[in-house]
Amino acid sequence: MTSTASTTPVGASPMPLDASRLIIERTTNPQPVPSASDRLSSLGSRCTDHMITVKWNEQTGWSVPKLEAYGPLTLMPTASVLHYATECFEGMKVYRGFDGKLRLFRPECNTERMLQSATRISLPAFDPAELQKLIVALLAVDGPKFLPNSEPGTYLYIRPTLIGTTETLNPQTPRDALLYIVASYFTIFPEDSATGLKLLASEESMVRAWPGGFGFAKIGANYGPAMLAQRYAKEKGYQQVLWLLGEDGQVTEAGASNFFLVWRTRDGVVQIVTPPLDGKIILDGVTRRSVLDIAKEAVTLKEAGFGDIEVVEQKFTMQDLLEASQEDRLLEGFAVGTAFFIVPVDEIGYQDNVVTFPGEKGKDGEHSAFIKEKLRGIMLGLSQHEWGFVIPEEY
Amino acid sequence: MTSTASTTPVGASPMPLDASRLIIERTTNPQPVPSASDRLSSLGSRCTDHMITVKWNEQTGWSVPKLEAYGPLTLMPTASVLHYATECFEGMKVYRGFDGKLRLFRPECNTERMLQSATRISLPAFDPAELQKLIVALLAVDGPKFLPNSEPGTYLYIRPTLIGTTETLNPQTPRDALLYIVASYFTIFPEDSATGLKLLASEESMVRAWPGGFGFAKIGANYGPAMLAQRYAKEKGYQQVLWLLGEDGQVTEAGASNFFLVWRTRDGVVQIVTPPLDGKIILDGVTRRSVLDIAKEAVTLKEAGFGDIEVVEQKFTMQDLLEASQEDRLLEGFAVGTAFFIVPVDEIGYQDNVVTFPGEKGKDGEHSAFIKEKLRGIMLGLSQHEWGFVIPEEY
């Protein structure tokens, strides 16, 4: 697939994405910092003062990146993205730490995944490190104002986006694109909600991703088509869909997040288990990867509660989950992702069954609580770790 | 699915889509009619002077439709369509007939399908008849100039489009949308090309659609993800992908068109065969439907060459196709769609095999030529038929 990722015309030498060429045009109309209540509005997507934009053309390559006032984009009605979903994005957070520092969490995971998504959706390639530098540049300018030092523990959600802009109704690889980065206060789900998630298992008529498809990529085509099942779940009193695949009801993702279980096998072994990445069905989540890493480390170090457990990426079905529930072997269920972070699952509706997780509703289980605290500590500067990337706040 | 198609807030009464409210604001900057060579440029998507736009909001419903100068759209960087592919469209043609009239071909099939696509991608519902009236209004204004009476046999491609415009990074049903209609000279593939199509059968790592997915809907999510395989096919010297499904290599679609075969069964029966619509894998093409109808009618009337044949919608695999080729039972292959119309398939590449269709390359087979002429006659006013919808050219 990589061999077809970039088509460079013979004789031309398109410019690479180059953050060092960034031009800064500060807004003349700075916005007030939203109040805490405005920030939590689930309807909002209040952005900061600025955004970064970079145009791309097949012949000329990446143009000069611009940091400019946040504002509307102009697209022709025939723009590729509006018809053929030539679009991909990333979701990351920048945190104001308790040590006063502004931090990204493993940003290279996001920028590398963005390149993979771009390749899958026939959008141009770029050096992920340059994308990271642009993200850092935006946050160096808007971070200090919108995540003030006086409010440790707060964060912004960053959305790098790449869209095909070629004016053509011909469904072909775009010859023009626009990369842009915005930062917003958007929250999908309050992390500190009083209740956990109620998931409704998807029906066979609603399949999110399939073998040979594109479920692993962060492209628009994985999200819009999922909204119908999502709305159906809400109408039934659930918050998210637990996406199943195949006749045996293989568990894949929870909403737009990765899904984890803690259960006891019939042999009495406690396992932290999540569906594997092979088959390219599910998103290679940064939080998912980090949860696995932290859990494995805890096992190695024999930290409290982790001494004898196994951390495994393996397929499991709704039937496995049902049986574990009936045999009292189910310990914890949780969804993980950048937007959600780590949220306990209270119950899963599946056909005529309801699987209820043990413990207090909305409360993290023992293992997920441990992992969550470790990760939160890294994100918020309570513990120094290579996963925390500190943003310089002068630019 | 229909029950979740529109969510009307209690107490509110959103306006329905109403073409009678159309406001006409003619352009002050009319464009020259492109030359014949400009029109055929495959890169172009030259639009006519005007477009129609209608905004929608969950609370207020459909706003006043406007016929206005063709020009750029303004979208916020957080608009739903740019992240989550909340978009659907239709493709239709308007023809200048040899009887001097401007005609659409079965427009109600397109407007009804657009409603189905909108529902599938969580965009608002509307009365398809009102959409048709808006399409007619645009063509009543731009048709006479861009498809002059002096050029019978020419056509424009019409693209009704619906996009989710809500400013939110929350992947949920859009609360705002924009419907627009543009008309362009865009041609995907010259109908009168000297050669037919060379199709490359898709590999298992590239699957277009899946049971429980959304392959039947004309939504962006079916197009962007297909571009990678499409480009791979071009690099291998093929024009389009023949999309297979499943381990047995079930044939589904050709590029973004429907696929037909004419072959002789082992019992000696000549069949016109195309994959069935069940499973919602493939697009319910208007041309597909029309080809089937014309063929069935020809059988009933025992027209030349159709007396003893069967017209069937049934599953078949690449293996079936290979065997038919090896046993000299393959008669014709053709792709059908609004953009392509009816194009003969010359050959199909599949793994290490090449299936070659008999007859002169690029020349329609006996049965497809018959059907094509019938349909062309209806489209171009050579024969009067209920499928031809005449546009009034004064507004």
Side-chain angles (χ1 to χ4, degrees), chain B residues 142-176:
Chain B
D142 279 355
K145 172 174 170 180
F146 289 89
L147 290 178
N149 243 311
S150 56
E151 297 186 22
T154 55
Y155 61 84
L156 290 169
Y157 179 86
I158 306 155
R159 175 58 62 97
T161 311
L162 181 56
I163 60 176
T165 55
T166 300
E167 292 171 48
T168 175
L169 296 178
N170 197 339
Q172 284 192 347
T173 306
R175 301 181 307 279
D176 310 270

Side-chain angles (χ1 to χ4, degrees), chain A residues 84-127:
Chain A
Y84 305 126
T86 44
E87 60 196 60
C88 65
F89 64 90
E90 268 303 321
M92 350 174 25
K93 283 179 180 167
V94 58
Y95 307 85
R96 173 62 71 188
F98 286 96
D99 61 349
K101 290 185 178 157
L102 217 51
R103 248 184 210 86
L104 290 166
F105 180 75
R106 308 185 80 177
E108 67 287 355
C109 296
N110 294 96
T111 56
E112 279 160 18
R113 188 172 61 184
M114 179 111 168
L115 173 59
Q116 284 167 27
S117 299
T119 303
R120 182 61 187 84
I121 200 65
S122 298
L123 286 171
F126 51 85
D127 179 351

Side-chain angles (χ1 to χ4, degrees), chain A residues 301-346:
Chain A
L301 300 176
K302 296 195 179 299
E303 298 202 69
F306 284 78
D308 298 312
I309 71 168
E310 289 177 5
V311 181
V312 288
E313 298 172 68
Q314 75 181 26
K315 284 188 186 175
F316 58 92
T317 65
M318 252 331 279
Q319 189 58 33
D320 296 333
L321 213 154
L322 268 179
E323 287 171 15
S325 173
Q326 284 154 1
E327 296 165 16
D328 277 332
R329 296 186 286 106
L330 216 49
L331 302 176
E332 301 172 38
F334 51 104
V336 318
T338 297
F340 279 98
F341 190 30
I342 296 176
V343 187
V345 174
D346 285 344

Side-chain angles (χ1 to χ4, degrees), chain A residues 1 4 45 71 73 75 77 81 83-85 87 120 159 161 167 172 180 207 210 212 220 224-225 228 231 234-235, chain B residues 1 4 45 71 73 75 77 81 83-85 87 120 159 161 167 172 180 207 210 212 220 224-225 231 234-235:
Chain A
M1 210 181 285
T4 62
S45 66
L73 305 175
L75 288 170
V81 64
H83 301 265
Y84 305 126
E87 60 196 60
R120 182 61 187 84
R159 175 58 64 95
T161 310
E167 294 172 46
Q172 284 192 346
Y180 61 91
V207 175
W210 51 83
L228 198 59
R231 184 160 47 167
K234 288 216 168 172
E235 285 173 359
Chain B
M1 210 181 287
T4 62
S45 66
L73 305 175
L75 288 170
V81 64
H83 302 265
Y84 305 126
E87 59 196 60
R120 182 62 188 83
R159 175 58 62 97
T161 311
E167 292 171 48
Q172 284 192 347
Y180 61 90
V207 175
W210 187 266
R231 184 159 49 168
K234 288 214 168 173
E235 286 173 0

Side-chain angles (χ1 to χ4, degrees), chain A residues 114-174:
Chain A
M114 179 111 168
L115 173 59
Q116 284 167 27
S117 299
T119 303
R120 182 61 187 84
I121 200 65
S122 298
L123 286 171
F126 51 85
D127 179 351
E130 296 301 310
L131 174 59
Q132 182 171 328
K133 287 179 199 164
L134 291 173
I135 293 165
V136 167
L138 176 64
L139 298 175
V141 171
D142 279 355
K145 171 174 170 182
F146 289 90
L147 289 179
N149 245 312
S150 56
E151 297 185 23
T154 56
Y155 61 83
L156 289 169
Y157 180 87
I158 307 154
R159 175 58 64 95
T161 310
L162 181 55
I163 60 176
T165 54
T166 301
E167 294 172 46
T168 175
L169 296 178
N170 197 339
Q172 284 192 346
T173 306

Side-chain angles (χ1 to χ4, degrees), chain A residues 1 3-7 42-45 47 51 70-89 119-123 157-163 167-175 180 182 184 186-188 204-214 219-232 234-235 245-246 256, chain B residues 1 3-7 42-45 47 51 70-89 119-123 157-163 166-175 180 182 184 186-188 204-214 219-232 234-235 240 256:
Chain A
M1 210 181 285
S3 67
T4 62
S6 70
T7 39
S42 66
L43 295 181
S45 66
C47 288
M51 62 181 180
Y70 176 79
L73 305 175
T74 295
L75 288 170
M76 292 308 282
T78 54
S80 174
V81 64
L82 303 178
H83 301 265
Y84 305 126
T86 44
E87 60 196 60
C88 65
F89 64 90
T119 303
R120 182 61 187 84
I121 200 65
S122 298
L123 286 171
Y157 180 87
I158 307 154
R159 175 58 64 95
T161 310
L162 181 55
I163 60 176
E167 294 172 46
T168 175
L169 296 178
N170 197 339
Q172 284 192 346
T173 306
R175 300 181 307 279
Y180 61 91
V182 299
S184 95
F186 141 83
T187 311
I188 286 193
E204 273 185 54
S205 61
M206 280 289 160
V207 175
R208 177 188 170 274
W210 51 83
F214 40 84
I219 60 177
N222 279 322
Y223 294 81
M227 289 178 184
L228 198 59
Q230 164 72 16
R231 184 160 47 167
Y232 178 76
K234 288 216 168 172
E235 285 173 359
L245 176 67
Chain B
M1 210 181 287
S3 68
T4 62
S6 68
T7 39
S42 66
L43 296 180
S45 66
C47 287
M51 62 182 179
Y70 176 79
L73 305 175
T74 295
L75 288 170
M76 291 309 283
T78 54
S80 174
V81 64
L82 303 178
H83 302 265
Y84 305 126
T86 44
E87 59 196 60
C88 65
F89 65 88
T119 302
R120 182 62 188 83
I121 199 64
S122 297
L123 287 170
Y157 179 86
I158 306 155
R159 175 58 62 97
T161 311
L162 181 56
I163 60 176
T166 300
E167 292 171 48
T168 175
L169 296 178
N170 197 339
Q172 284 192 347
T173 306
R175 301 181 307 279
Y180 61 90
V182 298
S184 95
F186 141 84
T187 311
I188 287 192
E204 273 185 53
S205 61
M206 280 289 161
V207 175
R208 176 187 170 276
W210 187 266
F214 39 83
I219 60 178
N222 280 320
Y223 294 82
M227 289 178 185
L228 199 59
Q230 163 72 16
R231 184 159 49 168
Y232 178 76
K234 288 214 168 173
E235 286 173 0
Q240 295 282 343

